[in-house]
Amino acid sequence: YTLSLHDALPIYKPKSKAQAKIQTEHVWQAHVTQKSYSDSLLSQLNSATPYAKQRGIDSKLFEQYGVGFAIKGNLKGRIVVPIRNALGSIVGFSGRFAYYQKNCGYSKWQHWPSSKEGLNQGFKKGYNFFNFDNVLNYIHEHKEKSVILVEGPFDVLKIKMADIHNVLAVLGDNITNEQIELLKYCHFSNVTLAFDQDEAGKLANERVARKLEKHLFKLDVILAKEGTDWGAMAPSEILRAFAKRK
């Protein structure tokens, strides 16, 4: 299997052995995941339109990104989001309980496939971003050098409704060294942090900022409404927040 990130984006070339290793892992995950798992899971997804309405997200975006509701399997009862690499190939899935309650004994998000399915170490979310392929196409077309980082896929979709397109989800409240290398690999010079404004999100902003500063990224911070996240805000509120960069 010889396909590489370079095939999709010829202007980007690894500058180190670490970046070359990440490139290989980033693409190889898609090869194995697609071959073994993605078709079977995608066929099990029902429409997630009711959840889209609950979150105030345009259901057409759910259709565009392949988001659905799992009625059986490992992610049963969760809203499932396919995660794609730079080539647009599925490398894994992230599932969120549609109706989650704290202290219920289950994690809000679950990523699949896991190592239990025999796929090496499972889906390595730390080697990927949600919306990576779309952002790379956007920045290549618009000659953009800045990117916005948020926590989860639904933050990306809600901000996209405000006509802001260069948004990546780190799939959590931290950023990995591999994700930082991907940002460097793609020549982003400006990074805007837009994590949730609950206690965990505020700590995430500080933690991720310290990591990125070591790599000489120019940093900005955009704040959602106090105590909430982008998913709880209307597109007009999001636009006002982005107009007030910290």
Side-chain angles (χ1 to χ4, degrees), residues 146-147 149 183 188-193 212 217-220:
S146 64
V147 67
L149 299 183
L183 294 179
F188 290 119
S189 53
N190 301 329
V191 178
T192 297
L193 304 181
L212 293 177
F217 288 103
K218 181 181 178 182
L219 298 179
D220 278 321

Side-chain angles (χ1 to χ4, degrees), residues 38-108:
S38 63
D39 288 343
S40 61
L41 179 55
L42 289 172
S43 67
Q44 297 172 10
L45 298 183
N46 280 5
S47 170
T49 298
Y51 183 76
K53 290 181 178 179
Q54 176 193 333
R55 297 277 297 192
I57 297 174
D58 188 343
S59 60
K60 291 181 180 178
L61 284 174
F62 270 28
E63 294 175 10
Q64 177 185 338
Y65 281 84
V67 179
F69 180 74
I71 56 175
K72 58 182 179 178
N74 300 70
L75 298 178
K76 180 180 178 180
R78 295 177 184 267
I79 307 299
V80 175
V81 183
I83 308 299
R84 300 177 182 274
N85 66 9
L87 304 171
S89 301
I90 294 175
V91 293
F93 299 87
S94 292
R96 184 197 190 280
F97 272 125
Y99 305 101
Y100 177 76
Q101 293 182 337
K102 290 184 177 180
N103 303 317
C104 67
Y106 296 94
S107 58
K108 181 187 291 186

Side-chain angles (χ1 to χ4, degrees), residues 196-232:
D196 297 349
Q197 278 303 286
D198 55 13
E199 184 177 349
K202 291 177 181 178
L203 291 174
N205 262 331
E206 296 175 3
R207 180 169 55 245
V208 173
R210 287 195 296 270
K211 287 186 175 182
L212 293 177
E213 283 173 348
K214 295 178 181 178
H215 296 272
L216 303 179
F217 288 103
K218 181 181 178 182
L219 298 179
D220 278 321
V221 175
I222 296 178
L223 303 178
K225 287 196 298 187
E226 182 67 27
T228 188
D229 59 29
W230 301 107

Side-chain angles (χ1 to χ4, degrees), residues 12 30 87 126 133 142 151 227 239:
Y12 300 131
L87 304 171
D133 55 328
H142 295 272
E151 292 185 31
L239 282 173

Side-chain angles (χ1 to χ4, degrees), residues 13-26 185:
K13 295 181 180 180
K15 293 183 178 180
S16 66
K17 289 183 179 179
Q19 288 184 0
K21 179 181 178 182
I22 291 166
Q23 171 183 309
T24 301
E25 183 66 42
H26 185 75
Y185 182 99

